Amino acid sequence: MPTFIIEREIPGADKLSPAELKEISAKSNAVVAGLGAPYKWVTSYVAGDKIYCVHEADSAAVVERHAREGGFPANKVTEIAAFIGPATAS
């Protein structure tokens, strides 16, 4: 299944409380459960005024549907071409 990185512009994202992040996570999980399509939320990173999410889905259209149904922005959805890290050099 393709993997996508989603850039979500959310002013003050880095100031969201643990309770607010929990609420966002619960909403995302509920939308994933109701999509009726293969979908996996891998992880997310909160940084400044953005949240960067890594999701697996059949297409960018399904990622955009998840965002729409959850009420989340999806300002940029990009399919990941490759994964690299320290072990890549070995």
Side-chain angles (χ1 to χ4, degrees):
M1 192 160 40
T3 304
F4 297 88
I5 190 155
I6 305 121
E7 182 177 305
R8 305 182 192 281
E9 294 180 16
I10 302 173
D14 60 344
K15 293 175 181 47
L16 291 168
S17 70
E20 290 169 315
L21 293 171
K22 182 178 180 179
E23 184 179 321
I24 291 167
S25 299
K27 178 64 176 178
S28 179
N29 288 339
V31 173
V32 169
L35 281 176
Y39 200 97
K40 180 181 178 187
W41 173 21
V42 178
T43 195
S44 294
Y45 303 93
V46 180
D49 289 334
K50 296 184 181 178
I51 297 179
Y52 299 92
C53 304
V54 178
H55 291 204
E56 295 176 358
D58 285 337
S59 68
V62 178
V63 172
E64 290 163 354
R65 180 177 157 213
H66 170 267
R68 212 173 29 256
E69 291 183 13
F72 313 120
N75 302 92
K76 188 171 183 182
V77 177
T78 306
E79 186 170 351
I80 295 172
F83 293 93
I84 64 168
T88 307
S90 300

